[in-house]
Amino acid sequence: MTETWRPIAERAGYEVSSLGRVRSVDRVIPHANGEGSRRQRGRILSPSPNGPYGYLSVMLGAGCRRYVHRLVAAAFLGDITGMDVDHDDTNPANNCVGNLTIMPHQDNLTAMSDRRTHCVNGHALTPENTVRRGRSRRACRTCIKQWVAAS
């Protein structure tokens, strides 16, 4: 896949690629005293995991931390306002545009639930061992039976 770069709409001077990389661009920075300027070379930014779920984020200037997957989706997939960005392979570090899907929050919860293979107690979530609890939540029949038997 060829890497394509697009500007980040909310932050001038930064670009995001179709492979999930973020960079600053070459720019000229004026000196604070107003006399002269200096040239700042652009560079690839190093993302870091942010929070307990492993999503990668970058700093786009002072006090502006952004999730990489949301930057990629906004630049290549369209408007993401009020939407979730889902990683199709469930790997939060894989921010390639082909791995991302924009969807409503409820659909994202359903997709995450459907990908689970085992319950918290280790029972397989096969079709025979699964009960649907609402639209987005699956429950384990074995755990429900054990809970009822213990009551």
Side-chain angles (χ1 to χ4, degrees):
M1 176 182 208
T2 305
E3 187 169 27
T4 306
W5 292 90
R6 292 198 181 159
I8 296 174
E10 64 181 84
R11 297 295 288 193
Y14 293 93
E15 295 178 330
V16 64
S17 85
S18 57
L19 298 181
R21 299 193 309 161
V22 180
R23 71 180 178 189
S24 60
V25 296
D26 293 347
R27 58 197 180 277
V28 176
I29 300 173
H31 288 292
N33 62 8
E35 296 179 16
S37 60
R38 66 180 174 90
R39 181 182 162 166
Q40 177 73 38
R41 291 189 53 95
R43 65 180 180 87
I44 302 288
L45 303 180
S46 297
S48 59
N50 188 23
Y53 303 108
Y55 294 112
L56 300 179
S57 65
V58 291
M59 290 297 291
L60 303 178
C64 183
R65 180 173 296 279
R66 296 289 182 266
Y67 286 114
V68 175
H69 65 286
R70 294 190 64 81
L71 294 173
V72 172
F76 290 94
L77 300 177
D79 186 21
I80 62 169
T81 306
M83 304 291 271
D84 284 2
V85 179
D86 183 48
H87 290 82
D88 295 336
D89 68 356
T90 70
N91 178 3
N94 182 359
N95 294 310
C96 295
V97 70
N99 183 49
L100 302 176
T101 306
I102 299 173
M103 61 179 59
H105 181 66
Q106 189 63 44
D107 291 349
N108 193 18
L109 292 176
T110 302
M112 288 188 307
S113 177
D114 289 345
R115 286 189 201 118
R116 288 181 33 227
T117 58
H118 290 78
C119 74
V120 294
N121 294 319
H123 304 120
L125 291 175
T126 61
E128 302 81 31
N129 192 36
T130 303
V131 176
R132 198 47 95 168
R133 298 278 192 200
R135 187 172 148 205
S136 65
R137 190 167 164 247
R138 293 185 307 162
C140 173
R141 285 185 194 272
T142 305
C143 291
I144 292 170
K145 288 178 184 176
Q146 291 174 353
W147 180 77
V148 169
S151 301

